[in-house]
Amino acid sequence: EIVLTQSPATLSLSPGERATLSCGASQSVSSSYLAWYQQKPGLAPRLLIYDASSRATGIPDRFSGSGSGTDFTLTISRLEPEDFAVYYCQQSWTFGQGTKVEIK
Amino acid sequence: EVQLVESGGGLVQPGGSLRLSCAASGFTVSSNYMSWVRQAPGKGLEWVSVIYSGGSTYYADSVKGRFTISRDNSKNTLYLQMNSLRAEDTAVYYCASLTVTTTSNWFDPWGQGTLVTVSS
């Protein structure tokens, strides 16, 4: 069973700053096998990135995904107020434990 | 516009049963892979079950033998029958469409979720 480890658990940043979130997989399934989701309180998760680096429909280009194999990164180039949320990575049937991006 | 709307959640005693529904619009349930994902209060996401367009079903070990996923093509609706419920099944349950390719998979779109509370 794949285990996904996200780091850090919490990221405290200010609007306008760059956010870098990591997701490590316990084993490699395929080079691009990863998705990222954003979840705000009380709402369902929203797909941001699939195939490690492809943005979902309607997702702003400040969100980008990279990585392959077992190490993946979600980057938010300049944080907007609406970007403060929890972010999850997913591979196969497994989700990471989440990274909370909070306002510093 | 694709929309998934869950219903059927509520308070149930340990050992009880509940059936969740997920009504789809703008989208055909039987032509897609459909899944249930849950989130315990204050916790992360946990995949629960999937039904493929061909009818095959799969379950997380934590619910195998207790939960059953199904669909009604005439109603364009996905279901999750939950039996022998335990306190640890308390969660918001989301239905989501699952896209599977040769190299990846992802969940999109998602419903708004329905809360199941198992407590005496």
Side-chain angles (χ1 to χ4, degrees), chain A residues 36 46-50 53-60, chain B residues 106 108:
Chain A
W36 289 94
R46 177 175 72 146
L47 176 69
L48 297 176
I49 302 287
Y50 64 94
S53 60
S54 298
R55 270 188 301 277
T57 302
I59 301 304
Chain B
W106 59 90
D108 181 63

Side-chain angles (χ1 to χ4, degrees), chain B residues 85-103:
Chain B
L85 283 161
R86 307 165 180 167
E88 54 265 35
D89 295 318
T90 294
V92 174
Y93 285 74
Y94 298 100
C95 67
S97 176
L98 173 68
T99 297
V100 177
T101 70
T102 55
T103 56

Side-chain angles (χ1 to χ4, degrees), chain A residues 9 21 40 60 88:
Chain A
L21 289 68
K40 297 179 181 179
Y88 294 96

Side-chain angles (χ1 to χ4, degrees), chain A residues 10-104:
Chain A
T10 304
L11 200 50
S12 298
L13 295 168
S14 301
E17 290 194 293
R18 181 185 188 89
T20 303
L21 289 68
S22 297
C23 177
S26 59
Q27 57 186 287
S28 176
V29 177
S30 84
S31 62
S32 62
Y33 203 153
L34 198 90
W36 289 94
Y37 302 85
Q38 177 194 67
Q39 188 178 33
K40 297 179 181 179
L43 297 180
R46 177 175 72 146
L47 176 69
L48 297 176
I49 302 287
Y50 64 94
D51 277 350
S53 60
S54 298
R55 270 188 301 277
T57 302
I59 301 304
D61 60 8
R62 64 180 180 273
F63 290 92
S64 63
S66 62
S68 65
T70 59
D71 295 302
F72 299 89
T73 301
L74 174 69
T75 302
I76 310 171
S77 59
R78 287 178 55 85
L79 282 164
E80 298 288 339
E82 62 267 28
D83 299 336
F84 292 92
V86 179
Y87 293 83
Y88 294 96
C89 58
Q90 170 254 324
Q91 189 176 82
S92 185
W93 309 119
T94 302
F95 291 89
Q97 82 280 16
T99 290
K100 181 179 182 180
V101 178
E102 65 176 22
I103 299 176
K104 185 174 181 180

Side-chain angles (χ1 to χ4, degrees), chain B residues 32-84:
Chain B
N32 289 274
Y33 293 3
M34 296 298 298
S35 204
W36 290 95
V37 177
R38 69 183 179 183
Q39 186 171 36
K43 303 298 184 182
L45 301 168
E46 179 189 17
W47 172 74
V48 172
S49 182
V50 64
I51 182 166
Y52 288 170
S53 52
S56 299
T57 59
Y58 299 92
Y59 301 90
D61 288 344
S62 57
V63 306
K64 201 173 294 182
R66 300 188 298 122
F67 289 12
T68 302
I69 191 171
S70 64
R71 66 190 181 211
D72 184 330
N73 297 343
S74 66
K75 295 182 178 179
N76 206 27
T77 298
L78 177 74
Y79 300 102
L80 185 68
Q81 177 67 44
M82 304 186 295
N83 299 331
S84 302

